[in-house]
Amino acid sequence: MDVAENVASGLLLSVLLGLARWVSAWWRWRRNTPRISLDLLESLMGKPLPKPDPVELRGGAHRQLNDLLHKLHSRANYPSPFAIARVLGVSRTTLHDAMSKPKLPSKDVAVRLALAYGSQIRWGAKADPDDELDSIDRRVSELWETAHQEAVLPDPEHVKHVVREVWDDMTSGRGPYPPDHPVAEALARSTISISAFERFVFAIVDTRDRDDRITLGCRAEGSFYIDLWKKDLTEEVRHRLAPVRISVFSVDLTEDVEFTIADGLIGGYVPPASPPDPA
């Protein structure tokens, strides 16, 4: 019995020692094995990419281009950014910036990214994938070209020239108001001064006749403040300048102006001196 007990005790001790060595080896392996982060796991599974800040990315062709890229990404069932970046031969940062930053990506990246998404879309049975990709190519190229032109700062002299053209049309009856309309007649008896700086345009309309000031909506004269002619002037100027964009276009009567910007400087408006009364 002593021999049997010794053998059994030895076998049990061997099993316990082996189990302890296995547990120790497993723990060292688990501790040294790299973990997959939650962000990496989510990116491998595919998810919507964040959009640019809407305040920084204002309306225009650039926003339409960004919306189209996100729409294609959604229709392609959110392919992995890692896989798309590898296919395009660009970094994941470049892809992320094209989708999520307000800066306009290069045309090559925008077109190739859109086509990569388009190639992953399951088109309907009646659709020709090649025709769909050609349509995507043309649309992205057109939006990029327009967005690129919108990003160019306008020439101040050209802006002033366009504003003057629209003003002349409105005062001569070639605009939204016929020649005998009270607004057209009041504007024809007024003068306009224009300041342009980068994307800021300020127009000051100087009206001397009190009835004209009332017609044009001068609050200082107690008139009912309706200034649709300002909106008409602004919209027509923006239309003629397109695709070049103007951020701020302010049109004011002299009595309504609190400050004006000319040559990049801000200062109070000083009306021109009235001529002396004849003796």
Side-chain angles (χ1 to χ4, degrees):
M1 292 295 295
D2 292 339
V3 174
E5 289 178 355
N6 290 337
V7 171
S9 299
L11 290 175
L12 179 60
L13 180 61
S14 298
V15 171
L16 293 175
L17 290 175
L19 180 61
R21 285 195 296 269
W22 182 85
V23 171
S24 177
W26 175 82
W27 178 254
R28 289 196 301 270
W29 171 84
R30 184 178 183 275
R31 184 178 57 185
N32 296 328
T33 300
R35 306 279 184 88
I36 297 179
S37 67
L38 182 60
D39 291 341
L40 176 60
L41 183 61
E42 289 179 350
S43 64
L44 291 174
M45 294 172 61
K47 62 179 181 179
L49 294 174
K51 287 190 173 185
D53 186 345
V55 176
E56 298 183 20
L57 184 62
R58 292 166 294 186
H62 189 182
R63 170 172 287 185
Q64 296 178 41
L65 174 61
N66 187 264
D67 289 343
L68 176 58
L69 291 176
H70 280 274
K71 180 180 179 180
L72 293 172
H73 187 222
S74 173
R75 294 192 61 186
N77 198 25
Y78 305 115
S80 163
F82 291 97
I84 296 298
R86 188 177 299 112
V87 169
L88 298 181
V90 300
S91 67
R92 184 170 178 263
T93 301
T94 300
L95 186 151
H96 181 272
D97 290 350
M99 298 289 290
S100 306
K101 298 295 184 180
K103 181 181 179 181
L104 182 67
S106 68
K107 183 178 181 180
D108 179 69
V109 169
V111 172
R112 291 171 60 201
L113 179 59
L115 293 178
Y117 289 152
S119 65
Q120 301 297 314
I121 297 176
R122 295 182 179 179
W123 303 102
K126 297 182 179 180
D128 186 340
D130 291 337
D131 291 343
E132 298 292 343
L133 292 178
D134 288 343
S135 177
I136 291 175
D137 190 346
R138 290 192 300 270
R139 180 58 177 162
V140 171
S141 297
E142 292 172 357
L143 287 175
W144 190 93
E145 292 292 346
T146 304
H148 180 67
Q149 294 179 24
E150 289 178 348
V152 176
L153 287 176
D155 176 30
E157 295 304 318
H158 177 63
V159 172
K160 292 180 182 180
H161 178 72
V162 171
V163 176
R164 178 65 64 178
E165 281 186 340
V166 176
W167 172 262
D168 292 341
D169 288 346
M170 292 184 67
T171 57
S172 62
R174 295 192 299 270
Y177 307 101
D180 57 349
H181 193 281
V183 170
E185 294 178 344
L187 293 176
R189 289 188 291 267
S190 306
T191 59
I192 186 173
S193 59
I194 309 161
S195 300
F197 176 73
E198 293 188 348
R199 299 189 186 278
F200 298 86
V201 181
F202 295 86
I204 308 300
V205 177
D206 186 19
T207 306
R208 291 301 171 180
D209 186 82
R210 184 175 184 274
D211 292 337
D212 290 342
R213 289 199 295 268
I214 294 176
T215 299
L216 298 179
C218 177
R219 288 173 291 186
E221 298 291 350
S223 63
F224 184 67
Y225 194 58
I226 299 178
D227 52 357
L228 295 179
W229 63 272
K230 296 181 182 180
K231 181 179 179 181
D232 294 332
L233 176 63
T234 302
E235 291 182 349
E236 183 60 25
V237 169
R238 290 182 183 274
H239 174 72
R240 296 191 189 185
L241 286 174
V244 176
R245 299 179 60 202
I246 296 297
S247 298
V248 174
F249 189 3
S250 175
V251 183
D252 292 288
L253 291 171
T254 49
E255 290 81 3
D256 297 333
V257 168
E258 297 177 357
F259 67 88
T260 181
I261 296 184
D263 299 328
L265 302 176
I266 302 180
Y269 175 79
V270 179
S274 303
D277 294 331

